[in-house]
């Protein structure tokens, strides 16, 4: 089996002063393919930390991480090749264009099948700071992964992949011999068998291993690992709990390994190595992220499932040599299936929220009733309802971060649970074990599993391997009707989506399963007959064996009632109940200068998992104005799967509030939003069209005459584009407005960039022109320093204030000026440019210029500059004017009144700012 095994021999020395490894490496590479090779490729992932041009650095930028991009030279890593030869003859080699972490070697002689070459390399690895990927120089020493050169896999072509912080390097099993010399005060720990020899100034380690991949080194002043001897393998790990003693930990590990062996069979190695760094990059979300003081789960459960996940990952990855970038779904599917089975067997009583599920406050919520394993369909549905899930065969580097880290893993695990339910656990479990045992340490693909499973059943599985795996089609079945006859009951099932899969139908009595039946080939509707029995409800997918888009339509009572789902009011947000039409209520508070503190309640139907139709009614009491105010909104989202349109939102909103002392306004706004699909879900740009008709009716002061400025309707059409890249952000919007007495068009273009020295440059260009204007006054004019916001879409705390603290609130719109100049409005056209440049951290200097044109007035040129404190971009900023058309602002009276501030209380904007890079 291993007669043509690749081997790697390394002699290396660690220089702690320079953070360098000096390496002499020899690779014996066998051509195990049927092709004649003229080139050989080496993965050189140590070089992926070299500069800001590497795929790794570019990946981080897409994830809103700029730490590697702006790292200091001493923090970077690299791999400097001093010499490279093949069969002891110098050859031509080069880095691939735009892939500095892959080396291409031109062979002087063709490498025929079943032949070998010896590649000798001398090189120096500069170890990067571990803060980038958690591998490199740490606070206590070094934690090294992917630090050596390794041959790329040839499997129907070269399988080349750059380091993208996915920990998915594709390697063949290899025999390793590594010698490493380290200073005498350091200890080397690894996933290889090792000998140690003490010398005068160094400790010399000799590491060996057969049929290994992914060699990890820990180099520290003290030992980090504990060793646990179990009945099957020896476990070396630094993932341990201080609260659990050694004997209990060993007992748990024994149970875990015996459980894994029951499903997968014997592990081919005698030892297994689990490092905390790698484990922490593949955590159990919702468990490992909780602060310790909450402690909703017992220490035993928390450590058990954490270690079980890490063990299964290593058990599988060290044995099944799949391309983890392309075929990750199979490994994730097996791993999460085992997780589900393990928790179901040993922790069936544990709830999703742990112990807090029984607290007086949470136990009334539906989410508190979810078992720990219910998180898999819950999280999948959370994403699928937004149509943000991706096909399981999507390359891992093309998945959104949320899908890669959580959703796709969960869907893959549910897929195996689906197969277990449909085929029976004996067929699935036998297939998994046979696949694992027969393919140990071989280069394989997920199609091999497909062929093996299909050979063990007469049932058609094309729906799984074609639709479930290769598309993001959603499963959604509905019980259309139930018809009672003399001695039978007919259940009609409707398939609401474009995927035909088996489904599970249950007859339930008092939450107990009386009958269960698998039904196949429901492509549109199908009626199934049952004998009458002692059951009161039919339910689809009662055990959540497979992921569904909507489970609320899965329930139907046998005896029809006038109100099949009665109305229920629930406190705060919750998951939807299949038994009720829920309305959620929650206290809410707000503030503006005229109404004062605004207290009220929000009534809505928005559960934790989105619906297509949302409504919200918010009645409030204003403590200062002593009036009742409020708002409402209706929204329907229509999603599209086969067009360039992502969704169309149809909405109607309205409300009433005060816009001036003792004066209120009413608004009614029907609108349509069209959001276009991104090129990929890793593309952070967005593109949309919006049409809205704004009706405004303002209350006027006593004895005042109502004018066109107090009651008006405006049709607004806009196109919006945004690319919030962390290095080069670009956004623009083009809008038009049509009203009875005016029409206008405007362009708002914004560009923000970071220079190579991490200095921020911020530019904004605005141009607005009236197509016609028969209005009087400046109410509908373009504002230089403050928009009149006649559309009532900006969050002004005191929108009508012309002096005082609230008049100093600044929202960057239209002219974007901070100083109040003699000419503040334009009723013909306005062109302005706002720019700022970073000085130090969040301190910037701003410069603005503008041209304003009013009827019967000459062109007005405006200018200003000042200091900008940009604490949180467009959320919390402070502006100090210095010089403008007014002269030196700082030397004039009442300077504090000239200071402007931006303060956003928009929860959605703040949420979008902080979620960047994860979703």
């Amino acid at each position: 089996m291993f007669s043509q095994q690749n081997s790697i021999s390394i002699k290396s020395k660690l220089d702690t002063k320079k953070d360098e490894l000096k390496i002499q490496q020899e690779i014996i590479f066998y051509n195990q393919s049927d092709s004649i090779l003229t080139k050989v490729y080496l993965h050189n992932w140590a070089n992926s930390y070299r500069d800001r041009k590497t795929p790794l650095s570019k990946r981080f930028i897409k994830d809103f991480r700029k730490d590697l991009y702006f790292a200091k030279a001493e923090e970077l890593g690299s791999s400097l090749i001093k010499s490279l030869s093949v069969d002891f003859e110098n050859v031509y080699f080069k880095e691939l264009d735009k892939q500095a972490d892959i080396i291409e070697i031109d062979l002087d002689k063709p490498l025929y099948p079943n032949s070998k070459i010896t590649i000798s390399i001398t090189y120096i690895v500069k170890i990067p700071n571990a803060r980038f990927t958690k591998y490199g120089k740490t606070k206590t020493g070094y934690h090294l992964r992917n630090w050596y050169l390794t041959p790329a896999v040839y499997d129907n072509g070269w399988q080349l992949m750059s380091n993208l912080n996915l920990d998915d390097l594709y390697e063949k099993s290899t025999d390793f011999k590594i010698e490493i010399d380290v200073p005498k005060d350091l200890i080397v720990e690894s996933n290889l068998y090792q000998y140690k020899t003490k010398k005068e100034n160094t400790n010399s380690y000799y590491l060996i291993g057969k049929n290994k991949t992914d060699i990890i080194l820990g180099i520290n002043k003290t030992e980090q690992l504990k060793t646990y001897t179990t009945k099957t393998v020896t476990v070396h790990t630094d993932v341990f709990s201080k609260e659990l003693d050694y004997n209990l930990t060993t007992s748990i590990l024994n149970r875990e390994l015996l459980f894994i062996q029951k499903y997968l069979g014997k592990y081919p190695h005698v030892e297994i190595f689990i490092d905390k760094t790698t484990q922490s990059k593949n955590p159990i979300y919702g468990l490992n992220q909780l602060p310790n003081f909450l402690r909703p789960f017992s220490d035993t459960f928390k450590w058990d499932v954490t270690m079980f996940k890490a063990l299964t990952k290593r058990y599988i990855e060290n044995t099944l040599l799949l391309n983890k970038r392309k075929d990750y779904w199979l490994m994730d599917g097996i791993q999460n299936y085992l997780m589900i089975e393990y928790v179901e067997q040993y922790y069936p009583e544990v709830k999703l929220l742990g112990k807090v599920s029984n607290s007086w406050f949470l136990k009334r919520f539906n989410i508190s009733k979810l078992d720990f394993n219910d998180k898999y369909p819950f999280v999948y549905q959370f994403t699928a309802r937004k149509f943000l899930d991706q096909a399981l065969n999507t390359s891992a580097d093309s998945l959104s971060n949320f899908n890669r880290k959580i959703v796709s893993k969960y869907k893959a695990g549910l897929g195996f649970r689906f197969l277990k339910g449909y085929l029976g656990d004996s067929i699935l479990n036998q297939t998994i074990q046979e696949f694992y045992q027969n393919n140990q340490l071989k280069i394989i693909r997920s199609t091999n599993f497909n062929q093996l499973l299909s050979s063990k059943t007469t049932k058609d599985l094309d729906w799984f391997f074609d639709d479930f795996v290769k598309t993001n089609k959603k499963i959604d079945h509905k019980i259309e009707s139930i018809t009672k006859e003399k001695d039978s009951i007919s259940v009609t099932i409707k398939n609401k989506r474009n995927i035909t899969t088996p489904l599970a139908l249950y007859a339930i009595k008092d939450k107990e399963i009386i009958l269960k039946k698998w039904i196949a080939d429901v492509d549109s509707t199908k009626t199934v007959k049952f004998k009458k029995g002692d059951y009161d409800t039919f339910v689809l997918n009662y055990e959540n064996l497979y992921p569904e888009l909507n489970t609320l339509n899965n329930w139907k009572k046998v005896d029809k009632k006038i109100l099949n789902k009665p109305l229920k009011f629930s406190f705060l947000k919750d998951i939807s109940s299949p038994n009720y039409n829920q309305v959620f209520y929650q206290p809410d508070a707000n503030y503006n200068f005229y109404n004062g503190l605004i207290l009220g309640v929000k009534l809505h139907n928005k559960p934790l998992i989105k619906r297509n139709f949302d409504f919200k009614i918010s009645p409030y009491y204003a403590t200062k104005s002593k009036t009742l105010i409020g708002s409402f909104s209706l929204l329907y989202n229509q999603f599209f799967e086969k067009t360039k349109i992502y969704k169309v939102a149809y909405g109607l909103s309205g409300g009433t509030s005060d816009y001036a002392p003792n004066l209120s306004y009413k608004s009614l706004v029907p609108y349509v939003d069209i959001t276009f699909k991104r090129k990929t879900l890793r593309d952070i740009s967005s593109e949309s069209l919006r049409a809205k008709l704004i009706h405004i009716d303002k209350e006027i002061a006593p004895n005042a005459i109502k004018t066109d400025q107090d009651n008006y309707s405006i049709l607004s059409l806009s196109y919006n584009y945004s690319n919030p890249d962390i290095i080069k952000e670009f956004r623009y919007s083009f809008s038009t407005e049509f009203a009875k007495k005016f029409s206008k068009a405007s362009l708002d273009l914004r560009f923000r960039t970071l220079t190579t020295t991490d200095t921020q440059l911020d530019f904004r260009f605005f141009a607005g022109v009236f197509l016609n204007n028969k209005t009087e006054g400046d109410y509908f004019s373009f504002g230089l320093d403050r928009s009149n916001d006649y559309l009532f879409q900006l969050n002004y705390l005191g929108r009508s204030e012309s002096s005082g603290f609230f008049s100093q609130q600044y929202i960057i719109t239209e002219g974007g000026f901070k100083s109040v100049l003699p000419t503040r409005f334009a009723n013909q056209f306005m062109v302005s440019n706002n720019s700022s440049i970073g000085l130090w951290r969040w301190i910037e200097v701003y410069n603005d210029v503008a041209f304003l044109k009013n009827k019967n007035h000459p062109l007005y040129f405006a200018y200003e500059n000042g200091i900008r404190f940009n604490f949180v971009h467009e959320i919390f900023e402070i502006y100090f004017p210095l010089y403008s058309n007014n002269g030196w602002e700082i030397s004039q009276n009442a300077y504090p009144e000239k200071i402007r501030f931006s303060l956003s209380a928009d929860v959605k904007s703040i949420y979008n700012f902080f979620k960047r890079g994860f979703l």
Side-chain angles (χ1 to χ4, degrees), residues 45-250:
W45 280 20
N47 210 34
S48 59
Y49 304 89
R50 187 178 69 185
D51 54 40
R52 61 186 51 159
K53 297 179 181 179
T54 66
L56 179 63
S57 182
K58 292 177 180 179
R59 174 84 177 189
F60 280 153
I61 293 302
K62 291 294 184 182
D63 291 340
F64 287 89
R65 287 184 54 186
K66 57 181 181 177
D67 47 355
L68 180 57
Y69 193 89
F70 289 116
K72 298 176 182 177
E74 60 268 23
E75 295 178 312
L76 296 174
S78 62
S79 176
L80 177 62
I81 309 295
K82 294 289 188 179
S83 65
L84 189 152
S85 64
V86 174
D87 291 335
F88 311 106
E89 296 287 340
N90 291 332
V91 293
Y92 176 76
F93 67 94
K94 66 176 182 178
E95 295 174 358
L96 289 189
D97 186 35
K98 298 181 181 179
Q99 289 181 287
D101 50 4
I102 300 176
I103 297 173
E104 179 184 273
I105 302 173
D106 287 340
L107 301 180
D108 290 340
K109 300 176 183 178
L111 182 61
Y112 291 94
N114 302 316
S115 300
K116 69 176 181 177
I117 55 173
T118 300
I119 306 172
S120 303
I121 320 106
T122 301
Y123 60 108
I124 298 174
V125 169
K126 167 67 171 61
I127 301 170
N129 192 296
R131 69 189 179 97
F132 307 128
T133 61
K134 297 189 178 181
Y135 305 119
K137 183 179 181 181
T138 66
K139 292 180 181 179
T140 59
Y142 303 90
H143 192 78
L144 307 181
R145 189 179 188 189
N146 306 132
W147 53 277
Y148 54 89
L149 294 169
T150 185
V153 173
Y154 188 91
D155 182 21
N156 286 338
W158 289 102
Q159 305 298 308
L160 305 179
M161 53 180 65
S162 287
N163 182 11
L164 300 177
N165 194 31
L166 303 180
D167 295 343
D168 60 351
L169 182 58
Y170 192 21
E171 298 177 86
K172 282 188 174 181
S173 62
T174 302
D175 293 341
F176 283 90
K177 292 180 182 178
I178 299 174
E179 294 179 47
I180 180 169
D181 293 338
V182 299
K184 64 180 180 179
D185 61 333
L186 295 179
I187 297 169
V188 174
E189 296 172 298
S190 73
N191 55 338
L192 297 177
Y193 186 77
Q194 64 186 49
Y195 303 92
K196 176 182 175 182
T197 304
K198 291 186 178 181
K199 298 182 179 178
E200 184 177 351
N201 297 316
T202 62
N203 289 328
S204 183
Y205 286 84
Y206 183 60
L207 315 176
I208 58 172
K210 285 188 171 294
N211 310 322
K212 295 282 190 176
T213 60
D214 193 13
I215 307 307
I216 299 175
L217 299 182
I219 306 174
N220 297 280
K221 291 188 176 181
T222 59
E223 290 185 354
Q224 305 294 307
L225 303 179
K226 283 187 179 181
T227 299
Y228 299 91
T229 304
T230 72
K231 296 176 182 177
T232 53
V233 297
T234 300
V235 179
H236 303 288
T237 183
D238 56 351
V239 182
F240 45 80
S241 172
K242 295 178 181 179
E243 287 78 14
L244 305 181
D245 63 37
Y246 182 85
N247 290 334
L248 176 59
T249 304
T250 305

Side-chain angles (χ1 to χ4, degrees), residues 411-433:
K411 182 184 177 184
L414 286 171
F416 276 80
R417 201 180 188 205
F418 197 172
L419 290 172
K420 173 193 171 183
Y422 182 55
L423 300 177
D425 55 356
S426 60
I427 290 179
L428 178 65
N429 293 346
Q430 181 186 347
T431 303
I432 292 174
Q433 186 168 115

